[in-house]
């Protein structure tokens, strides 16, 4: 009996010592923190679980003492690459995913990858080997990395995870519609938003989704415009053709800008109300902006209709009407001063109205100033009334009386900061003006943040940029498509005309790919010519021997690392390594 009690006591002491060894380290024991890095993952898991089981109050008390490394385990780049390779092999070879699907999912699911790595046995020094062994005996829920690779965060796709399915092949209808969107040219990273906002389209029967996309092309829209439309407004693919969008397209067809004008200014980060856009265009037509004038207005100030679906326009109209102007007077202002509808002018006009209302000016005087000096008001950003009064050392009532007698004194209160910002440093230089003119032709808004950024990115004179742009158009691409490509990959125009022509020749003549391939992968033109020559030559050699798919995406050939390329494009054939070496030596 005594021996039994002693044995129990020793066990209790042993458990107590283990608990002390694994308990949170106090902040004062800074010297012991270096030893924590050698603690195994098993120990970390036990510690986190023991903390979770504690009472909330106790956890809050000790939370400041828990080392961060127990909760944040950054993945080294080498380990991440090895893990991606192991996941790719599992998806491609074990689960029979296509090369493109497996590559995209493995490279674009970092959160899922981070959750996999801690499950690897610590005995494996090589992450790839350990993860391969884990995946061999532990099938994963394929929907998690799939949804994450579509651009959704874990908290966004968690409600969409099927309860009783693990494999994507189990939901063949959804996967087929996903491929229909990919084959049409919609970027995979943007399909997540479409799934989130319009899940119905992923339950369509075979070929129905593709036919809906073609229906929008039949309205007269280009493929690039349709892609931007459905990624920004996925609900367009639910039900039949959207009647309001169809009306907008019909309206634009009658103008010089054409219906593909929409494609230049759509953003997949925004949503649009087509009825309001249609009403804005009809309103402009009603106030006297007929065909040619309306086309010019839409080209120069696209934000008038597109930003907020014309909301700013209606806000300005309401402000002017509330300030005392009659409807016919506002119409006349719009006709005489179309530039007042630009984004910058709208802000300046609203500031001027706020200024005059703040100093308590009567309605009839505000109306008179607006009608007489709208051009100046739209071009100036005024100071706050308080600042103006302090500079003149007068009260607001006195300032109001001065402006009634001398309305032009209002423009002496222009904000000095805004004045400086509105004058670019190189405004007088010929190079700046040529480059600005080129960007305006592409649809950039004058003095906008986007134009300032583009001016820094583009190198060369305006005529050189235009020559490179025309080179892409002559190759067979639509003007609007080239504009969109340049917006996504502006560095393309920093290449010389000769280099652009050589790269297009390699793509279309050597590989036999259509020039439209650049729409899906504009970054192709930015790759080094030697890399393009080496990899295309190897791929063509494999293709001639039926060792590679006939029309593999250029992005798949060029974007992977050297080791990965050798593994999947060189070592797949017994003679591959020798041919690869001869290709590289021939170009040196």
């Amino acid at each position: 009996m005594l021996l039994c009690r002693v044995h129990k006591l020793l066990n209790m002491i042993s458990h107590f010592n283990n608990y002390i060894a694994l308990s949170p380290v106090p902040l004062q024991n800074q010297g012991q923190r270096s030893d924590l890095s050698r603690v195994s993952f098993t120990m970390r898991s036990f510690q986190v679980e023991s903390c979770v089981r504690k009472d909330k109050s106790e956890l809050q008390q000790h939370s400041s003492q828990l080392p961060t490394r127990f909760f944040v385990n950054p993945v080294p780049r080498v380990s991440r690459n090895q893990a991606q390779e192991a996941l790719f092999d599992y998806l491609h070879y074990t689960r029979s995913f296509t090369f493109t699907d497996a590559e995209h999912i493995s490279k674009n699911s970092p959160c899922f990858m981070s959750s996999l790595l801690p499950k690897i046995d610590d005995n494996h020094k090589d992450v790839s080997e350990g993860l391969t062994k884990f995946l061999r005996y532990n099938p994963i829920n394929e929907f998690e990395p799939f949804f994450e690779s579509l651009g959704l965060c874990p908290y966004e796709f968690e409600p969409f995870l099927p309860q009783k399915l693990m494999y994507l092949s189990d939901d063949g209808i959804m996967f087929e519609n996903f491929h229909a969107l990919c084959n049409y040219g919609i970027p995979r990273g943007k399909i997540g938003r479409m799934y989130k906002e319009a899940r119905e389209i992923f339950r369509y029967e075979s070929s129905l989704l593709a036919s809906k996309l073609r229906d929008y092309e039949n309205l007269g829209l280009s493929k690039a415009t349709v892609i931007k439309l459905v990624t920004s407004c996925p609900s367009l693919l639910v039900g039949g053709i959207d009647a309001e969008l169809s009306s907008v397209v019909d309206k634009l067809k009658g103008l010089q800008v054409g219906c593909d004008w929409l494609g230049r200014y759509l953003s997949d980060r925004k949503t649009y109300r087509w009825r309001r856009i249609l009403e804005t265009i009809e309103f402009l037509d009603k106030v006297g902006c007929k065909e040619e004038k309306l086309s010019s207005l839409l080209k120069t100030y696209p934000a008038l209709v597109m930003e907020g679906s014309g909301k700013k326009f209606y806000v300005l109209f309401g402000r002017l009407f509330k300030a005392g102007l009659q409807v016919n007077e506002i119409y006349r202002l719009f006709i005489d001063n179309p530039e007042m509808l630009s984004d910058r002018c709208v802000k300046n006009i609203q500031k001027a109205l706020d200024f005059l209302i703040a100093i308590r000016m009567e309605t009839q005087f505000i109306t008179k100033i607006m009608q007489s000096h709208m051009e100046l008001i739209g071009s100036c950003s005024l100071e706050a009334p308080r600042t103006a009064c302090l500079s003149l050392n007068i009260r607001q009532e006195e300032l109001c009386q001065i402006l009634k007698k001398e309305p032009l004194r209002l423009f002496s209160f222009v904000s000095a900061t805004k004045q400086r910002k509105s004058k670019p440093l190189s405004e007088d230089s010929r190079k700046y003006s040529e480059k600005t003119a080129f960007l305006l032709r592409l649809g950039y808004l004058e003095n906008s943040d986007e134009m300032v950024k583009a001016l820094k990115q583009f190198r060369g004179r305006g005529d050189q940029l235009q020559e490179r742009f025309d080179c892409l158009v002559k190759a067979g691409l639509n003007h609007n498509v080239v504009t969109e490509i340049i917006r996504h990959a502006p560095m393309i125009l920093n290449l010389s005309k000769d280099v652009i022509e050589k790269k297009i020749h390699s793509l279309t003549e050597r590989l036999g790919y259509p020039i439209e391939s650049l729409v899906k992968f504009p970054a192709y033109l930015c790759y080094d010519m030697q890399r393009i020559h080496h990899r295309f030559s190897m791929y063509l050699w494999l293709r001639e021997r039926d060792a590679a798919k006939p029309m593999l995406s250029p992005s798949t050939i060029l974007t992977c690392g050297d080791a990965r390329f050798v593994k999947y494009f060189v070592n797949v054939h017994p003679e591959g390594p020798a041919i690869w070496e001869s290709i590289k030596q021939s170009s040196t």
Side-chain angles (χ1 to χ4, degrees):
M1 182 68 70
L2 181 60
L3 287 174
C4 184
R5 288 181 180 176
V6 170
H7 183 67
K8 286 184 179 179
L9 182 61
L10 288 173
N11 282 337
M12 289 174 64
I13 294 171
S14 176
H15 286 304
F16 179 77
N17 286 337
N18 287 339
Y19 177 78
I20 294 299
L22 295 173
S23 62
V25 182
L27 283 174
Q28 59 264 32
N29 296 339
Q30 298 291 343
Q32 298 177 12
R33 285 186 177 239
S34 59
D35 296 330
L36 291 173
S37 60
R38 294 191 288 272
V39 179
S40 67
F41 176 76
T42 306
M43 175 179 168
R44 293 200 301 270
S45 298
F46 176 82
Q47 182 172 8
V48 173
E49 288 173 7
S50 66
C51 288
V52 171
R53 287 195 297 266
K54 289 182 180 183
D55 183 77
K56 285 186 179 180
S57 60
E58 187 180 353
L59 182 59
Q60 290 173 354
Q61 182 180 354
H62 293 287
S63 61
S64 61
Q65 298 178 357
L66 293 174
T68 306
R69 73 185 299 116
F70 282 160
F71 296 92
V72 180
N73 190 18
V75 182
R77 184 177 179 182
V78 175
S79 299
R80 184 179 70 244
N81 291 341
Q82 290 177 350
Q84 288 176 352
E85 193 170 323
L87 182 59
F88 170 83
D89 288 342
Y90 170 77
L91 295 173
H92 185 51
Y93 294 111
T94 305
R95 296 289 302 125
S96 301
F97 280 53
T98 64
F99 187 99
T100 309
D101 287 344
E103 183 181 45
H104 181 79
I105 292 173
S106 62
K107 285 187 175 182
N108 295 279
S109 52
C111 294
F112 179 77
M113 196 69 70
S114 298
S115 68
L116 273 185
L117 289 178
K119 298 176 183 178
I120 302 174
D121 189 348
D122 284 351
N123 295 329
H124 291 280
K125 294 182 180 179
D126 185 79
V127 172
S128 181
E129 180 186 342
L131 189 54
T132 300
K133 182 178 179 181
F134 175 82
L135 293 172
R136 188 180 302 143
Y137 302 106
N138 300 273
I140 59 173
N141 186 336
E142 294 169 3
F143 287 90
E144 293 183 25
F146 172 69
F147 283 134
E148 187 179 358
S149 71
L150 301 187
L152 295 175
C153 298
Y155 72 88
E156 290 179 302
F157 66 69
E158 190 173 349
F160 306 142
L161 293 176
Q163 296 296 320
K164 298 180 181 180
L165 301 179
M166 282 185 63
Y167 304 115
L168 287 171
S169 56
D170 293 337
D171 194 352
I173 295 176
M174 184 274 290
F175 212 38
E176 183 181 352
N177 283 299
F178 161 72
H179 280 126
L181 295 173
C182 292
N183 295 336
Y184 190 75
I186 296 172
R188 293 168 181 254
K190 295 179 180 179
I191 295 178
R193 178 186 173 182
M194 299 179 69
Y195 189 88
K196 183 180 176 182
E197 295 183 8
R199 292 178 63 189
E200 304 96 315
I201 66 178
F202 290 85
R203 311 314 306 174
Y204 285 154
E205 296 178 0
S206 179
S207 74
L208 179 58
L209 185 55
S211 69
K212 285 181 175 290
L213 290 166
R214 286 194 297 271
D215 288 343
Y216 280 105
E217 282 192 67
N218 294 336
L219 291 178
L221 298 169
S222 68
K223 193 172 185 178
T225 302
V226 174
I227 289 173
K228 294 195 77 173
L229 275 170
V230 298
T231 51
S232 60
C233 304
S235 58
L236 291 174
L237 294 173
V238 178
I241 292 179
D242 188 281
E244 293 170 354
L245 172 62
S246 179
S247 299
V248 172
V249 172
D250 290 339
K251 194 74 177 175
L252 292 172
K253 281 181 182 177
L255 303 175
Q256 292 178 2
V257 289
C259 51
D260 279 329
W261 171 84
L262 280 172
R264 300 184 207 173
Y265 305 106
L266 282 172
S267 171
D268 52 29
R269 296 182 180 180
K270 299 176 182 177
T271 54
Y272 298 92
R273 296 174 61 181
W274 304 110
R275 176 177 290 180
R276 184 186 282 172
I277 289 175
L278 178 63
E279 288 173 352
T280 304
I281 295 174
E282 288 177 343
F283 177 82
L284 292 170
D285 181 57
K286 186 178 179 181
V287 300
C289 295
K290 303 296 181 184
E291 295 183 5
E292 187 175 344
K293 196 168 186 178
L294 181 56
S295 297
S296 175
L297 189 66
L298 292 176
K299 279 183 181 178
T300 312
Y301 307 113
L304 165 68
V305 173
M306 301 306 296
E307 287 294 327
S309 304
K311 182 179 179 180
K312 288 181 180 178
F313 169 77
Y314 284 106
V315 170
L316 177 61
F317 184 88
R319 289 295 307 273
L320 291 172
F321 185 75
K322 192 175 179 180
L325 276 75
Q326 299 300 313
V327 174
N328 61 337
E329 292 174 336
I330 299 174
Y331 285 175
R332 177 53 54 190
L333 280 176
F334 286 149
I335 293 170
D336 294 340
N337 306 281
E339 68 280 352
M340 69 180 281
L341 299 172
S342 70
D343 191 47
R344 184 168 61 90
C345 287
V346 167
K347 290 179 181 177
N348 291 340
I349 292 167
Q350 289 180 341
K351 274 192 174 183
L353 284 171
D354 292 337
F355 186 101
L356 297 174
I357 292 170
I359 61 174
R360 299 182 180 179
M361 184 175 282
E362 292 84 348
T363 302
Q364 65 269 26
F365 290 103
I366 295 177
T367 302
K368 185 178 179 182
I369 291 174
M370 286 289 166
Q371 289 176 329
S372 305
H373 308 291
M374 180 55 74
E375 187 175 352
L376 280 172
I377 290 171
S379 62
C380 300
S381 179
L382 300 179
E383 295 176 337
R386 179 181 174 82
T387 307
C389 290
L390 288 173
S391 64
L392 297 175
N393 196 22
I394 57 175
R395 292 178 300 170
Q396 288 188 355
E397 293 79 4
E398 294 175 301
L399 177 61
C400 181
Q401 295 302 320
I402 291 172
L403 293 179
K404 286 179 184 178
K405 297 176 182 177
E406 302 177 67
L408 290 175
R409 286 283 298 273
L410 177 67
F411 307 106
S412 63
F413 306 124
V414 176
S415 170
T417 306
K418 295 286 182 182
Q419 206 169 20
R420 284 196 300 271
K421 284 184 178 179
S422 65
K423 294 183 179 180
L425 295 175
S426 54
E427 191 174 16
D428 297 330
S429 69
R430 180 182 172 186
K431 183 177 178 180
Y432 175 86
S433 59
E434 286 179 353
K435 197 183 291 188
T436 302
F438 170 74
L439 293 176
L440 288 172
R441 287 195 294 272
L442 290 189
Y444 286 85
L445 300 179
E446 191 171 7
N447 291 332
S448 64
D449 293 338
E450 191 181 14
M451 175 173 275
V452 172
K453 186 178 179 181
L455 286 168
K456 293 177 182 177
Q457 289 177 320
F458 292 132
R459 295 195 298 268
R461 301 189 309 272
D463 58 333
Q464 292 174 329
L465 296 174
Q466 187 65 53
E467 183 183 45
R468 298 162 191 169
F469 183 93
D470 293 340
C471 178
L472 293 170
V473 175
K474 289 175 183 176
L477 290 171
N478 181 276
H479 182 280
N480 296 336
V481 173
V482 177
T483 301
E484 201 55 42
I485 288 174
I486 298 306
R487 282 179 177 270
H488 281 96
M491 66 289 296
I492 290 173
L493 290 189
N494 293 334
L495 303 170
S496 68
K497 180 185 174 185
D498 293 339
V499 171
I500 293 173
E501 288 176 343
K502 285 179 182 177
K503 291 181 179 180
I504 291 176
H505 181 269
S506 293
L507 181 69
T508 56
E509 301 300 326
R510 290 193 66 198
L511 281 188
Y513 281 34
I515 189 65
E516 287 76 17
S517 302
L518 290 176
V519 178
K520 295 181 182 179
F521 185 47
Y524 160 77
L525 294 171
C526 304
Y527 278 89
D528 180 67
M529 195 64 210
Q530 188 181 52
R531 185 187 185 100
I532 292 173
H533 173 72
H534 285 176
R535 296 200 173 188
F536 279 9
S537 298
M538 188 68 219
Y539 172 64
L540 285 169
W541 186 86
L542 290 172
R543 199 166 71 176
E544 289 169 0
R545 287 153 183 80
D546 295 327
K549 290 184 178 180
M551 292 295 282
L552 206 57
S553 169
S555 62
T556 303
I557 302 170
L558 292 173
T559 57
C560 60
D562 291 337
R564 193 179 185 84
F565 182 82
V566 170
K567 182 176 180 180
Y568 296 107
F569 290 91
V570 178
N571 295 338
V572 293
H573 195 282
E575 301 175 25
I579 298 298
W580 179 239
E581 288 301 321
S582 65
I583 290 172
K584 291 196 292 185
Q585 289 175 4
S586 64
S587 61
T588 55

